[in-house]
């Protein structure tokens, strides 16, 4: 099935007693606090913008409904396949779910065929902005709209803050916010705060910037930043699959604020007027390496149990028999890629470097990793926790995480066609096995 | 084989012309689309959609440049060994070399844009080499005919 060769990162490999990914679940006796049923279809439908689109729907539309939960609640989602011939799954992007609920066809489950259903159960144990999408034929199904937002709020939500979801997606190359084109208006009274939860569901990084007020970037990839300062005339780069929560305090004089999302679309916050002027993209981009204040990481990344290299390149060769110029991981073309082997509790350090000529939004399932350095320059701002990291050509990041969520986890490029072209590796806990297969009779194709 | 050589050399010239036409077609379409309010960023590029119809120009440029032209240049080189025309192998090799340089420059230009300028210049060198190769066999064929006529006389 091609999970690659075992890479132990400086440890000997010893196989403990086998555990199946299907046993790695949330407490099955605990009743659900949030129950949602999502019925998926493949059809021609109208977006909220009115534009007709051939793609995928959840409960009749795309994007799918925003799922909201309070921190600590158990979320249970029943996914029903109404009419998607290739089969479907749901992956909870950025949520460190138990492995059985990760939704990767061929790794943690079989693709859900027409007429079948699958139940996902996980505890929303981190407050922040997340999203969900299919991880079966994902380069087609995500593009086609089989996705939605997931928002987890703390129990004591500040009442004076208006919560705005801004899920950005390109349908046939047309940029939308929650399925709408152009300006999306949201009422926020003068002096009040708005938290705009930007989700980039596309295959390349996008920029967001704010006109009419200063803003604070309060969270990245579902994790709050520590004491972020207000900034002005500065853009935020949201990588593919990544999220950025922008907090704006509305001007007292009632003037509107425009949160630009990639140029053609915007969230316009206002009360009396929504006539916020268009502003040019700022020349500077917020550098998260030095934004906010330092704080404890909760573990010591300087004494790692494992060290891995995830080195991305590109060279001519053959991928599944096809000649071409293909991505490489540590010098080799898929399936000759590393499988990073860890034990539960290990502190893991990984160096992700890219000299492939293109940017790669690297996404690790089931874990959040903290950025330690970029191109040798150590992180000096707020702890910068990511699940989707924008690694530009020529960049090298040092990240670290605690292996605290046993299972078999994908660690891949979230430019989904790149993943389909073999830019995929796995993080594998010793002794965890899977009964599922990529390919095979079930036709599982996670990328 | 002389015919194969000559046709491949002319084909390279035609393909180089298509290359310059298709890429400018793409750029012009992109300019029009942006004038009309379109915004191009990495996410839009990576969507791999026909956001404006002239994207086909970029597609043709890419496929022609990485598949068709190298293939034609290879045929030119292989046929050159059977033409028995002095200089044929040399000029076919130069065409293939220019093609290899051209692909490398094109692929690297997004990292170092000045290589894009050299890509444009090298296209002219490639065109020149293919032109010379095509003329070479025509010239030698007329020379052959002249020799034959002379021997008959």
């Amino acid at each position: 099935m091609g999970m690659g060769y075992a890479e132990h990162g400086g440890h000997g490999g010893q196989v403990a007693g086998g555990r199946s990914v299907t046993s790695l679940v949330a407490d099955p006796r605990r009743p659900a606090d949030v129950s949602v049923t999502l019925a998926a279809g493949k059809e021609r439908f109208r977006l909220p913008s009115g534009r007709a689109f051939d793609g995928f729907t959840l409960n009749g539309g795309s994007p799918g409904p925003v799922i909201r939960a309070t921190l600590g609640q158990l979320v249970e989602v029943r996914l029903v396949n109404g009419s998607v011939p290739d089969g479907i799954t749901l992956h909870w992007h950025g949520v460190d779910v138990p492995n059985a609920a990760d939704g990767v066809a061929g790794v943690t489950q079989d693709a859900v065929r027409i007429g079948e259903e699958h139940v996902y159960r996980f505890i929303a144990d981190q407050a922040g902005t997340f999203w969900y999408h299919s991880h079966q034929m994902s380069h087609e199904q995500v593009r086609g709209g089989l996705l939605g937002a997931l928002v987890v709020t703390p129990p004591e939500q500040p009442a004076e803050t208006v919560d705005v979801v801004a899920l950005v997606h390109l349908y046939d190359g047309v940029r939308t916010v929650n399925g709408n084109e152009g300006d999306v208006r949201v009422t926020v009274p003068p002096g009040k705060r708005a938290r705009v939860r930007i989700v980039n569901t596309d295959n390349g990084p996008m920029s967001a910037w704010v006109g009419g007020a200063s803003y604070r970037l309060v969270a990245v990839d579902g994790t709050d930043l520590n004491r972020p300062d207000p900034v002005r005339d500065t853009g935020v780069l949201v990588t593919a699959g990544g999220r950025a929560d922008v907090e704006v305090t509305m001007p007292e004089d009632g003037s509107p604020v425009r949160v630009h999302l990639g140029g053609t679309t915007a969230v316009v916050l206002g009360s009396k007027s929504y006539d916020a002027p268009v502003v040019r993209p700022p020349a500077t981009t917020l550098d998260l390496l030095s934004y906010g204040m330092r704080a404890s990481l909760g573990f010591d990344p300087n004494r790692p149990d494992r060290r891995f290299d995830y080195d991305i390149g590109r060279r001519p060769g053959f991928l599944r028999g096809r000649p071409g110029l293909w991505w490489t991981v540590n010098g080799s073309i898929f399936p000759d890629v590393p499988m990073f082997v860890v034990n539960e509790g290990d502190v893991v350090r990984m160096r992700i470097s890219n000299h492939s000529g293109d940017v790669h939004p690297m996404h690790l399932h089931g874990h959040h990793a903290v950025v330690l350095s970029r191109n040798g320059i150590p992180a000096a701002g707020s702890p910068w926790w990511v699940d989707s990291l924008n690694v530009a050509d020529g960049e090298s990041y040092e990240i670290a995480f605690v292996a605290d969520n046993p299972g078999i986890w994908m660690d891949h490029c979230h430019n989904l066609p790149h993943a389909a072209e073999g830019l995929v590796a796995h993080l594998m806990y010793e002794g965890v096995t899977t009964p599922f297969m990529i390919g095979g009779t079930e036709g599982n194709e996670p990328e | 084989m002389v015919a194969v050589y000559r046709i491949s050399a002319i084909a390279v010239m035609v393909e180089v012309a298509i290359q310059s036409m298709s890429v400018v077609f793409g750029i012009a379409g992109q300019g029009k689309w942006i004038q009309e309010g379109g915004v191009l960023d990495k996410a839009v590029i990576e969507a791999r959609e026909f956001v404006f119809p002239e994207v086909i120009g970029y597609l043709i440029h890419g496929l022609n440049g990485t598949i068709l032209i190298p293939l034609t240049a290879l045929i030119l080189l292989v046929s050159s060994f059977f033409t028995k025309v002095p200089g044929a192998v040399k000029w076919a090799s130069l065409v293939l070399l220019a093609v290899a340089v051209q692909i490398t420059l094109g692929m690297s230009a997004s990292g170092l844009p000045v290589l894009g300028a050299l890509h444009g210049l090298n296209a002219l060198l490639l065109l020149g080499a293919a032109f010379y190769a095509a003329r070479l066999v025509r010239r030698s064929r007329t020379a052959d005919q002249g020799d034959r006529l002379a021997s008959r006389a």
Side-chain angles (χ1 to χ4, degrees):
Chain A
M1 61 170 277
M3 291 275 243
Y5 58 86
E7 174 81 60
H8 293 275
H11 257 231
Q14 72 275 26
V15 177
R19 257 194 301 179
S20 169
V21 296
T22 53
S23 69
L24 299 165
V25 295
D27 183 356
R29 288 158 304 182
R30 187 176 155 185
D33 301 303
V34 177
S35 282
V36 180
T37 296
L38 295 175
K42 183 177 196 289
E43 56 189 313
R44 185 168 178 82
F45 64 101
R46 284 201 181 277
L47 292 164
S49 66
R51 189 183 289 268
F53 179 70
D54 270 313
F56 302 94
T57 55
L58 287 165
N59 295 355
S62 175
V66 177
I67 299 175
R68 290 183 181 275
T70 304
L71 185 67
Q73 284 188 322
L74 194 144
V75 180
E76 185 176 286
V77 177
R78 191 166 70 97
L79 174 69
V80 183
N81 185 352
S83 61
V84 183
D86 292 324
I88 53 173
T89 67
L90 285 182
H91 166 62
W92 307 91
H93 189 115
V95 186
D96 301 335
V97 298
N99 197 214
D102 197 39
V104 180
V107 179
T108 63
Q109 69 174 94
D110 283 327
V112 182
R113 298 281 145 196
I114 294 175
E116 294 177 358
E117 61 175 65
H118 188 90
V119 177
Y120 299 92
R121 284 166 59 87
F122 57 89
I123 291 166
D125 56 4
Q126 188 173 342
T129 309
F130 307 95
W131 64 298
Y132 58 90
H133 62 80
S134 181
H135 224 302
Q136 159 75 353
M137 304 286 286
S138 56
H139 73 286
E140 277 179 31
Q141 296 188 359
V142 175
R143 178 199 154 276
L146 220 165
L147 52 89
L150 166 69
V151 174
V152 181
T153 45
E156 66 295 339
Q157 175 83 323
E160 71 276 16
T161 301
V162 177
D163 199 287
V164 185
V165 171
L167 180 136
V168 182
H169 190 67
L170 289 157
Y171 291 93
D172 282 339
V174 177
R175 182 160 278 144
T176 62
V177 178
N178 308 332
N180 299 287
E181 293 169 31
D183 290 358
V184 172
R185 293 178 173 188
V186 179
T187 304
V188 187
K192 297 283 185 198
R193 276 191 304 216
R195 184 182 183 123
V196 182
R197 302 173 179 273
I198 304 166
V199 185
N200 180 358
T201 62
D202 293 310
N203 288 320
M206 60 166 274
S207 287
W209 64 98
V210 177
S214 63
Y215 71 91
R216 299 192 307 145
L217 180 65
V218 290
V220 167
D221 285 3
T223 315
D224 283 351
L225 297 177
N226 184 43
R227 296 172 65 185
D229 288 325
V231 289
R232 240 176 209 287
D233 302 325
T234 305
V236 174
L237 187 80
V238 190
T239 199
R243 285 87 61 216
D245 294 14
V246 165
E247 190 188 81
V248 176
T249 302
M250 296 302 289
E252 293 290 351
D253 64 2
S255 56
V257 173
R258 177 178 290 272
V259 181
H260 278 276
L261 302 166
T264 45
T265 49
V267 168
V268 178
L269 311 169
S271 44
K272 297 188 290 248
S273 150
Y274 294 90
D275 200 15
V278 168
V279 294
R280 284 198 297 180
T284 49
T285 299
L286 194 59
D287 187 357
L288 295 181
L289 209 58
S290 55
Y291 181 62
M293 296 288 284
R294 295 184 70 113
S296 163
L297 299 179
F299 74 104
D300 182 5
N302 295 317
R303 302 180 60 183
D305 300 291
R306 314 265 178 170
R307 275 178 191 273
F308 297 117
D309 273 320
Y310 198 135
D311 186 57
I312 304 161
R314 199 179 194 189
R315 68 170 171 82
F318 292 87
L319 175 71
R320 303 181 187 101
R322 272 167 59 211
L325 194 59
W326 302 115
W327 310 116
T328 58
V329 179
N330 296 349
S332 303
I333 296 169
F334 188 88
D336 191 17
V337 290
M339 186 174 62
F340 304 114
V341 182
V342 295
N343 271 317
E344 195 171 349
D346 282 350
V347 170
V348 183
R349 252 175 111 114
M350 187 181 276
R351 195 174 61 87
I352 308 175
S353 44
N354 177 7
H355 47 89
S356 68
D358 203 349
V359 58
H360 297 291
M362 298 309 293
H363 173 50
L364 172 62
H365 285 211
H367 302 74
H368 277 78
V370 71
V371 173
L372 302 175
S373 71
R374 181 183 61 222
N375 299 337
I377 301 164
S382 160
W384 176 14
W385 292 91
V386 293
D387 55 63
S388 307
L389 180 63
N390 196 75
V391 186
D393 183 37
E395 281 186 341
S396 173
Y397 278 90
E398 190 99 36
I399 62 169
F401 61 92
V402 180
D404 57 1
N405 195 5
I408 303 172
W409 304 97
M410 286 183 97
D411 186 359
H412 66 104
C413 178
H414 219 276
N415 185 336
L416 297 170
H418 287 183
E421 291 160 6
L423 192 38
V424 173
H426 288 85
L427 177 73
M428 167 87 150
Y429 282 66
E430 295 258 18
V432 176
T433 61
T434 176
F436 306 108
M437 269 179 68
I438 292 171
T441 50
E442 297 296 328
N444 294 320
E445 297 292 340
E447 289 90 23
Chain B
M1 266 304 161
V2 171
V4 175
Y5 186 89
R6 184 148 191 268
I7 290 165
S8 323
I10 291 169
V12 169
M13 290 166 63
V14 171
E15 282 161 358
V16 171
I18 291 171
Q19 285 303 82
S20 64
M21 288 165 71
S22 60
V23 77
V24 179
F25 183 61
I27 291 168
Q30 182 181 312
K32 177 170 179 280
W33 180 69
I34 288 171
Q35 288 291 333
E36 290 166 356
V39 172
L40 195 65
D41 66 4
K42 182 65 173 164
V44 173
I45 291 171
E46 291 302 329
R48 305 184 186 187
E49 303 277 358
F50 282 78
V51 287
F52 48 90
E54 295 81 4
V55 168
I56 190 82
Y58 294 140
L59 215 65
I60 291 170
H61 192 84
L63 290 175
N64 198 28
T66 55
I67 298 170
L68 218 56
I69 297 182
L71 220 60
T72 317
L74 267 176
I75 294 170
L76 180 73
L77 182 66
V78 171
S79 65
S80 73
F81 293 107
F82 303 98
T83 55
K84 302 194 176 67
V85 174
V89 174
K90 182 180 87 185
W91 284 99
S93 307
L94 283 174
V95 166
L96 190 64
L97 178 71
V99 169
V101 168
Q102 190 68 344
I103 292 173
T104 311
L105 289 172
M107 292 279 185
S108 321
S110 63
L112 191 60
V114 70
L115 298 180
L118 296 178
H119 182 78
L121 179 65
N122 187 60
L124 298 179
L125 299 180
L126 170 58
L127 186 72
F131 178 71
Y132 198 89
R135 272 188 41 139
L136 185 73
V137 288
R138 198 188 63 186
R139 234 178 18 215
S140 79
R141 198 159 50 176
T142 39
D144 277 359
Q145 280 164 358
D147 289 350
R148 255 176 278 149
L149 285 174
S151 63
R152 257 188 238 166

